[in-house]
Amino acid sequence: MYQERIRRPELLSRVMSADEAAALIKNKMVVGSSGFTKAGDSKAVLQALGQRAKTQELQISLITGASLGHNTDGNLANAHLLSRRMPFQADPILRDSINKGEVLFIDQHLGETAELLNNKHLPEVDIAVLEATLINEDGSLVLTTSVGNSAVFAALAKQIIVEINTIIPVELAGIHDIFYAGNYPHRQILPVLEPHTRIGTTALPLDPDKIVAIVITHERDSPAQIVAPDEKTSAIAGHLLEFFNYEVKKGRLTTSLLPLQAGIGKVANAVLNGFTNGDFHDLTMYSEVLQDSTFDLMDAGKMTFASASSITISSECYDRVVNNIGQYKDRLVLRPQNISNAAEIIRRLGIIAINTAIEFDIYGNVNSTHINGTNMMNGIGGSGDFARNAYLSIFVCQSASKGNSISHVLPMVSHTDHTEHDVDILVTDNGLADLRGLAPRERAKVIIDNCAHPEYRDEFRSYFKAACARGGHTPHILEEAFTWHNRFRQHKDMRIKQEAI
Amino acid sequence: MYQERIRRPELLSRVMSADEAAALIKNKMVVGSSGFTKAGDSKAVLQALGQRAKTQELQISLITGASLGHNTDGNLANAHLLSRRMPFQADPILRDSINKGEVLFIDQHLGETAELLNNKHLPEVDIAVLEATLINEDGSLVLTTSVGNSAVFAALAKQIIVEINTIIPVELAGIHDIFYAGNYPHRQILPVLEPHTRIGTTALPLDPDKIVAIVITHERDSPAQIVAPDEKTSAIAGHLLEFFNYEVKKGRLTTSLLPLQAGIGKVANAVLNGFTNGDFHDLTMYSEVLQDSTFDLMDAGKMTFASASSITISSECYDRVVNNIGQYKDRLVLRPQNISNAAEIIRRLGIIAINTAIEFDIYGNVNSTHINGTNMMNGIGGSGDFARNAYLSIFVCQSASKGNSISHVLPMVSHTDHTEHDVDILVTDNGLADLRGLAPRERAKVIIDNCAHPEYRDEFRSYFKAACARGGHTPHILEEAFTWHNRFRQHKDMRIKQEAI
């Protein structure tokens, strides 16, 4: 069966087992692997490599699109295979290794990894492991449910291992759009003018001589876990929908809005689901990941087109979409992540970017990555690519969590991923703060009033008042700015004040 | 004499005094004014307005390109004329008013103000005050030594006051390149492919009926103060030149490098002056401000073309360049600041961006704006526009100052303008840290070893060691992260430890 997916006959002889292919990856190599938010990742070779690392001295630098499925990152961390990992991960075991300093993690804007590789600002990629639907006669690859960084890996890697995943319907061919902008000093324009603009080829061109192994798999992507909206996510979605209605009323947006980007997670899903009802229509997405909500909106007749770098959906949605791709194909395009996340296109299209914060502060700075200023959660992902250049940059999170022992609004963020300059709108279950055109002291008032959990509001006001008395454009009392974080570290509750000794 | 500079006869009747023109600006108006780093600013009307504010209830929101010359910002602050000011300033009196909370300052990426105005995310501009060399027959303006935000002000303001500055030679006509990208959802590509690409018109088109006043001035821009390189700036320049030579040797750059951007100030001047000697040739700039060093490099035959939004030079250089513009005209272009600072073009051209930091931390985060986390210095300017999308993002500052009582390398920055994700190279007089491809713990070591002042190095190492013992991807001890800042606030010396009480 797989033979019909290898349309360049000379390559048939390069089919081998995952173990044999993994043996081509040597100690200290830099490996570039497909996979973006669990979609289109290596199903066999990286796992086999992890097995081998249990008995052999073997460490690699692993670069991917974004996070991997199938606990691959966790298994590789457990096997102590990873010396370096970039640009993103979302695995609890790997996260623990990173925070212990065992794995050197380089947290990058997802749109920039390909740039850094092209510019040789990162070590050369020795070998690429790329999932594909099929190999064309000319050696080019039809990718699967993500594009990620596969195009740059294919261009730069000395050797390529292809995983042909026969569970992916061949009808998927046609949804990808692969484009190289060229190298300095002669870079091309990225001529995407609308979310549906195609600028490249449907297959990933590569030199077939670089293909050193082909491994056959038959396994689905790890499914996305869809969490039903709860009271808090519904409240956040409600505030945002009210805001969009207000913008329409003011004439700044139409009821088709502008192309949407939404980070992964339950809040984004809740917000997008909110568009199913109401007057919004002819919506589009220009995002990095498409989740269930995208296809729900298409099925509801509310969304006309979606562009991204990956499709990460639940099992139910997979059946409906991937196994029925003909019905969606003309409304979808998957692009390399340096195109889906390109500043140039994000600014030109005027994206409405909705991303999740871990915490934000009273002046509008956002922490997307670090717990208590030190421990990596997942990584910045594409949030910075979108927030900086969006038409509207929106960050959402709950006002407080764990029985309100953690406030997600803080006097000062313990790590900054998005500065005050790049944040327009903040939303919690408590309310929405519109920061456009406000100076820091004005922002503090509206964030405390609208976004902070009421249980923390009095202490915020005391802090802000005392800070203003001391003066400054952005008033702070530096020696107290992290008091709440410190309380949490000591007492697991930001409300418990230090007792006098 | 001025009559020949007003080539649309019906407009001659609108010539009036600065006081008369200033009277058109009413209380609570939003005023958009030309001027970018002291170049091409209003010489008469804003000053007259400041005088009027001494006797009348008068407050305005003032939006410019960037900083103004002639102490205008200071005079307006003294007159309590400014309720709001954006996107940048560099005046000690205004700075003081901002830090007292008397003037609401909105610190913006210089490339974004035009976007926010176009998108109606800021209040509407009531009246524009634009310096021009002359008015063409069709009403279009030939601007002067800067373009700044004049194009967006002209498009959006209800009324326009033009200041014709007869000291500017009419031969300046031709150096500007004015382009509108259009509005959402139909924005155009910015088709700049090289620093010299022209995409627009040499004059700024506008509706002549909007011109309500013309004021004649005859006054130069405030001159830039050129500070000769000293031991520290020479050391920084030396480290950077050594780095560029290394990059050339490694084959990543040629001896023509890639287009340069340099922030304002003595370090940037010292670095650019360094190119006068050595093997570099056919250099270009794609920057926001051109300083003396640009023209020195042109005169030395080292630089072939420079694009920016303003020309801010010393008196000596002004004589040489502006009064002799014919000799430089084919090697210069001045663009709107949303084009000079456009993410799209910066990424496409592969800019080498060199900007000044106030402080940076051991993980590579940079503070460009706030003293001790609270007090505004000038503003982020264009540093973020360039750093985020540059081919190489370089930040420079001295390792320590004021008898070493201030370390400019810190455990944690007190305010973040540029995150670790956007910083490639850090340089102090002490040395250079190449952060490309490094994880936070690796970055800390190289920054402490190479950039920190030796007098602080032991304490850095103690902090970092203790922080690593506590763990985390980015190890910190939050309760001690600002200890040095707090010492400085209390003792004006970061080395003086708090005595036990």
Side-chain angles (χ1 to χ4, degrees):
Chain A
M1 283 294 286
Y2 73 79
Q3 286 84 349
E4 66 197 29
R5 291 180 181 238
I6 301 175
R7 296 173 183 177
R8 189 177 180 89
E10 71 188 66
L11 293 178
L12 281 166
S13 63
R14 295 180 211 169
V15 174
M16 60 183 80
S17 72
D19 286 338
E20 288 169 316
L24 299 168
I25 300 175
K26 311 295 183 193
N27 193 30
K28 298 195 176 170
M29 273 191 171
V30 177
V31 179
S33 173
S34 64
F36 192 106
T37 50
K38 305 198 284 186
D41 56 340
S42 157
K43 307 295 190 292
V45 175
L46 290 184
Q47 295 285 1
L49 197 66
Q51 286 300 322
R52 211 178 103 213
K54 289 181 183 169
T55 58
Q56 282 181 29
E57 170 81 13
L58 188 58
Q59 282 218 311
I60 63 165
S61 295
L62 179 61
I63 313 176
T64 56
S67 58
L68 303 176
H70 300 92
N71 305 317
T72 301
D73 265 326
N75 294 341
L76 300 186
N78 268 337
H80 303 289
L81 181 76
L82 301 174
S83 63
R84 249 162 226 284
R85 181 77 177 88
M86 63 189 93
F88 188 83
Q89 58 77 41
D91 183 276
I93 296 167
L94 174 54
R95 182 183 298 148
D96 194 47
S97 300
I98 289 167
N99 288 322
K100 283 179 179 155
E102 293 166 3
V103 176
L104 292 166
F105 177 56
I106 296 107
D107 178 25
Q108 290 168 337
H109 297 299
L110 293 184
E112 296 222 332
T113 309
E115 302 294 332
L116 297 169
L117 288 167
N118 256 323
N119 298 343
K120 304 192 193 307
H121 292 169
L122 294 174
E124 280 184 64
V125 178
D126 294 299
I127 194 161
V129 182
L130 307 179
E131 190 183 70
T133 303
L134 57 85
I135 306 178
N136 286 313
E137 254 187 274
D138 61 1
S140 65
L141 302 184
V142 172
L143 298 175
T144 63
T145 46
S146 74
V147 177
N149 283 318
S150 293
V152 71
F153 294 147
L156 298 180
K158 295 164 207 151
Q159 300 184 310
I160 298 169
I161 298 170
V162 179
E163 289 191 14
I164 301 266
N165 189 345
T166 56
I167 211 166
I168 303 285
V170 295
E171 291 73 22
L172 202 77
I175 71 163
H176 310 96
D177 187 53
I178 313 295
F179 182 81
Y180 289 100
N183 289 320
Y184 296 120
H186 299 294
R187 287 270 294 235
Q188 292 177 57
I189 288 166
L190 306 178
V192 175
L193 295 174
E194 296 187 75
H196 63 259
T197 312
R198 289 185 156 276
I199 62 175
T201 56
T202 54
L204 167 56
L206 53 76
D207 173 3
D209 290 343
K210 292 211 282 190
I211 299 178
V212 290
I214 298 172
V215 176
I216 311 301
T217 67
H218 188 79
E219 188 173 349
R220 276 192 182 192
D221 293 332
S222 292
Q225 303 302 327
I226 300 300
V227 182
D230 57 20
E231 204 178 322
K232 282 184 185 173
T233 56
S234 298
I236 292 171
H239 298 311
L240 252 181
L241 289 165
E242 190 185 330
F243 168 76
F244 288 129
N245 278 311
Y246 177 79
E247 292 296 294
V248 171
K249 202 173 133 194
K250 283 282 174 185
R252 284 190 286 257
L253 288 170
T254 71
T255 44
S256 296
L257 302 177
L258 281 164
L260 297 161
Q261 176 263 336
I264 226 163
K266 58 185 181 177
V267 176
N269 255 324
V271 172
L272 291 182
N273 281 328
F275 290 123
T276 315
N277 308 309
D279 293 336
F280 299 100
H281 60 90
D282 293 305
L283 298 170
T284 60
M285 289 192 86
Y286 193 86
S287 193
E288 52 185 21
V289 184
L290 303 182
Q291 300 179 259
D292 286 30
S293 47
T294 300
F295 302 99
D296 295 343
L297 284 169
M298 284 187 179
D299 291 349
K302 291 286 190 178
M303 180 165 286
T304 58
F305 200 89
S307 164
S309 194
S310 85
I311 297 175
T312 300
I313 47 184
S314 68
S315 293
E316 176 278 317
C317 193
Y318 194 98
D319 290 334
R320 177 158 50 106
V321 174
V322 178
N323 290 336
N324 210 2
I325 194 70
Q327 296 206 12
Y328 293 89
K329 215 162 141 177
D330 59 348
R331 287 176 282 169
L332 285 178
V333 62
L334 295 185
R335 308 179 191 271
Q337 67 197 71
N338 52 322
I339 310 279
S340 65
N341 290 29
E344 170 175 345
I345 300 168
I346 292 164
R347 172 59 52 88
R348 188 184 302 135
L349 300 191
I351 306 298
I352 296 174
I354 306 167
N355 289 289
T356 305
I358 287 176
E359 61 185 22
F360 58 78
D361 70 26
I362 56 172
Y363 298 113
N365 301 287
V366 171
N367 173 7
S368 298
T369 54
H370 283 68
I371 305 294
N372 241 26
T374 56
N375 279 38
M376 175 54 58
M377 191 65 196
N378 298 334
I380 192 168
S383 58
D385 296 320
F386 286 94
R388 170 65 64 89
N389 294 294
Y391 166 85
L392 274 177
S393 167
I394 300 167
F395 283 91
V396 298
C397 71
Q398 45 191 334
S399 60
S401 66
K402 297 198 178 166
N404 301 336
S405 64
I406 301 175
S407 174
H408 295 276
V409 187
L410 276 308
M412 179 185 265
V413 286
S414 57
H415 181 91
T416 305
D417 291 294
H418 310 289
T419 73
E420 47 158 343
H421 311 96
D422 297 336
V423 179
D424 297 314
I425 307 288
L426 291 170
V427 197
T428 67
D429 46 303
N430 203 71
L432 181 145
D434 182 349
L435 308 181
R436 291 175 294 177
L438 299 189
R441 290 177 190 228
E442 295 174 295
R443 280 185 237 145
K445 282 180 197 149
V446 69
I447 291 171
I448 294 170
D449 286 351
N450 295 7
C451 295
H453 192 280
E455 204 169 333
Y456 288 87
R457 222 176 268 159
D458 286 345
E459 202 175 348
F460 269 122
R461 290 188 178 131
S462 308
Y463 178 86
F464 180 60
K465 193 177 167 190
C468 286
R470 202 182 261 187
H473 173 63
T474 305
H476 266 304
I477 302 192
L478 286 190
E479 61 271 34
E480 295 178 15
F482 295 140
T483 302
W484 297 8
H485 292 95
N486 287 327
R487 285 182 199 159
F488 184 76
R489 201 182 63 82
Q490 292 184 355
H491 308 293
K492 299 286 167 215
D493 192 327
M494 289 187 178
R495 295 164 299 188
I496 297 178
K497 297 187 184 175
Q498 181 86 43
E499 285 165 39
I501 298 168
Chain B
M1 280 294 286
Y2 73 80
Q3 286 84 348
E4 66 196 29
R5 291 178 181 239
I6 301 175
R7 297 174 181 173
R8 189 176 179 89
E10 70 187 67
L11 293 178
L12 281 165
S13 64
R14 295 182 211 167
V15 174
M16 60 182 80
S17 72
D19 286 337
E20 288 169 317
L24 298 168
I25 300 175
K26 312 293 185 194
N27 193 30
K28 298 195 177 170
M29 273 192 171
V30 176
V31 179
S33 172
S34 63
F36 192 106
T37 51
K38 305 198 284 187
D41 56 338
S42 157
K43 307 293 190 293
V45 175
L46 290 184
Q47 295 285 1
L49 198 65
Q51 286 300 322
R52 211 178 102 213
K54 289 180 182 170
T55 57
Q56 281 181 29
E57 170 82 12
L58 188 58
Q59 281 219 310
I60 64 165
S61 294
L62 178 61
I63 313 177
T64 56
S67 58
L68 303 176
H70 299 92
N71 305 317
T72 301
D73 264 325
N75 293 342
L76 299 186
N78 267 336
H80 303 288
L81 181 77
L82 301 174
S83 62
R84 250 161 224 283
R85 180 76 177 87
M86 63 188 93
F88 189 82
Q89 59 76 40
D91 182 277
I93 296 167
L94 175 54
R95 181 183 297 148
D96 193 49
S97 300
I98 288 166
N99 287 322
K100 283 181 179 153
E102 293 166 3
V103 176
L104 293 166
F105 178 56
I106 296 110
D107 178 24
Q108 289 168 338
H109 297 299
L110 293 185
E112 296 222 332
T113 309
E115 302 293 332
L116 297 169
L117 287 167
N118 255 322
N119 298 343
K120 304 193 193 306
H121 293 168
L122 293 174
E124 279 184 66
V125 178
D126 293 299
I127 193 161
V129 182
L130 307 180
E131 190 183 70
T133 303
L134 57 86
I135 305 178
N136 286 313
E137 254 186 276
D138 62 0
S140 65
L141 302 184
V142 172
L143 298 175
T144 63
T145 46
S146 74
V147 176
N149 283 318
S150 293
V152 70
F153 294 147
L156 299 180
K158 293 165 209 152
Q159 299 185 311
I160 298 171
I161 298 170
V162 180
E163 289 191 13
I164 301 265
N165 188 345
T166 56
I167 211 166
I168 302 283
V170 294
E171 291 74 21
L172 203 78
I175 71 163
H176 309 95
D177 187 53
I178 312 295
F179 182 81
Y180 288 101
N183 288 319
Y184 296 119
H186 298 295
R187 285 272 292 236
Q188 292 177 57
I189 288 167
L190 306 178
V192 175
L193 295 174
E194 297 187 77
H196 63 258
T197 313
R198 288 186 158 276
I199 61 176
T201 55
T202 55
L204 167 55
L206 52 75
D207 173 2
D209 290 343
K210 291 211 283 189
I211 300 179
V212 290
I214 298 172
V215 175
I216 310 303
T217 68
H218 188 78
E219 189 173 352
R220 276 192 182 192
D221 293 332
S222 293
Q225 303 303 326
I226 299 300
V227 182
D230 58 19
E231 204 178 322
K232 283 184 185 173
T233 56
S234 299
I236 292 171
H239 298 311
L240 251 181
L241 289 165
E242 190 185 330
F243 168 76
F244 288 130
N245 278 310
Y246 177 80
E247 292 296 293
V248 171
K249 201 173 135 195
K250 283 282 175 186
R252 284 189 285 260
L253 288 170
T254 71
T255 45
S256 297
L257 302 178
L258 281 164
L260 298 161
Q261 176 263 336
I264 228 164
K266 58 185 182 178
V267 176
N269 255 324
V271 171
L272 291 182
N273 282 327
F275 290 124
T276 314
N277 307 310
D279 295 335
F280 299 101
H281 60 90
D282 293 306
L283 298 169
T284 59
M285 290 192 86
Y286 193 87
S287 194
E288 50 185 22
V289 184
L290 303 182
Q291 300 178 261
D292 285 31
S293 47
T294 300
F295 301 99
D296 296 342
L297 284 170
M298 283 187 179
D299 291 349
K302 291 287 189 177
M303 181 164 284
T304 57
F305 199 89
S307 164
S309 194
S310 85
I311 297 176
T312 301
I313 47 184
S314 67
S315 291
E316 177 279 315
C317 193
Y318 195 98
D319 289 335
R320 178 157 50 106
V321 174
V322 178
N323 289 337
N324 210 2
I325 194 69
Q327 297 207 10
Y328 293 89
K329 214 162 144 177
D330 58 350
R331 289 175 283 169
L332 285 178
V333 63
L334 295 185
R335 307 178 191 273
Q337 66 196 71
N338 52 322
I339 310 278
S340 65
N341 290 30
E344 169 175 343
I345 300 169
I346 292 164
R347 172 58 53 86
R348 188 184 301 136
L349 300 191
I351 306 299
I352 296 175
I354 307 168
N355 289 289
T356 305
I358 287 177
E359 62 185 21
F360 58 79
D361 70 26
I362 57 172
Y363 297 112
N365 301 287
V366 171
N367 172 8
S368 299
T369 54
H370 282 68
I371 305 294
N372 241 28
T374 55
N375 279 38
M376 175 54 59
M377 191 66 197
N378 299 334
I380 192 168
S383 58
D385 295 321
F386 285 94
R388 170 65 63 90
N389 294 294
Y391 166 85
L392 275 176
S393 167
I394 300 167
F395 283 91
V396 298
C397 71
Q398 43 191 335
S399 60
S401 65
K402 299 198 178 164
N404 301 335
S405 63
I406 301 175
S407 174
H408 295 276
V409 188
L410 276 307
M412 179 185 264
V413 286
S414 57
H415 181 91
T416 305
D417 291 294
H418 311 288
T419 73
E420 47 158 341
H421 311 96
D422 297 335
V423 179
D424 298 314
I425 308 287
L426 290 170
V427 199
T428 68
D429 45 305
N430 202 71
L432 180 144
D434 182 349
L435 308 181
R436 292 175 294 177
L438 299 189
R441 289 176 190 228
E442 296 174 295
R443 279 185 238 145
K445 282 179 197 150
V446 69
I447 290 171
I448 294 170
D449 287 351
N450 295 6
C451 295
H453 191 280
E455 204 169 334
Y456 288 88
R457 222 176 270 158
D458 286 346
E459 202 175 348
F460 270 122
R461 289 188 179 132
S462 307
Y463 178 86
F464 180 58
K465 193 176 166 191
C468 285
R470 202 181 263 186
H473 174 63
T474 304
H476 266 304
I477 303 192
L478 286 190
E479 60 272 36
E480 296 178 15
F482 296 140
T483 302
W484 298 8
H485 293 95
N486 288 326
R487 285 181 200 159
F488 184 77
R489 200 181 64 82
Q490 292 184 355
H491 309 293
K492 299 286 167 216
D493 192 328
M494 289 187 178
R495 295 164 301 187
I496 297 177
K497 296 186 185 175
Q498 181 88 43
E499 284 164 40
I501 299 166

